[in-house]
Amino acid sequence: MGGDEARLFSMLHADAAVLHFTGIGRRFQTELLDMVGLDSMTRQMLMFPDLGSSVAGRPGAA
């Protein structure tokens, strides 16, 4: 299972279409959260992961 998960994460973080649509989702989510005005901790917990620039959560990331 671990090898399959690592391969999936690698594919997600490298696929241009996935990165494009998650970027759109994050921008939409940011606008909604700006309208609601949540505190920063709650806002951070609700944010969709940034697959394009973050290595957090990737298997093998230091």
Side-chain angles (χ1 to χ4, degrees):
M1 174 85 175
D4 290 339
E5 182 179 315
R7 197 174 51 165
L8 171 64
F9 273 89
S10 175
M11 288 170 38
L12 286 176
H13 288 270
D15 188 275
V18 171
L19 296 176
H20 173 75
F21 287 110
T22 57
I24 291 171
R26 281 182 59 84
R27 285 190 298 275
F28 179 73
Q29 185 179 34
T30 298
E31 291 181 26
L32 287 176
L33 293 176
D34 285 346
M35 286 189 278
V36 174
L38 298 173
D39 63 270
S40 63
M41 182 180 282
T42 304
R43 183 183 175 109
Q44 194 173 30
M45 289 188 304
L46 293 174
M47 281 303 290
F48 193 76
D50 185 3
L51 299 179
S53 65
S54 175
V55 294
R58 287 190 202 176

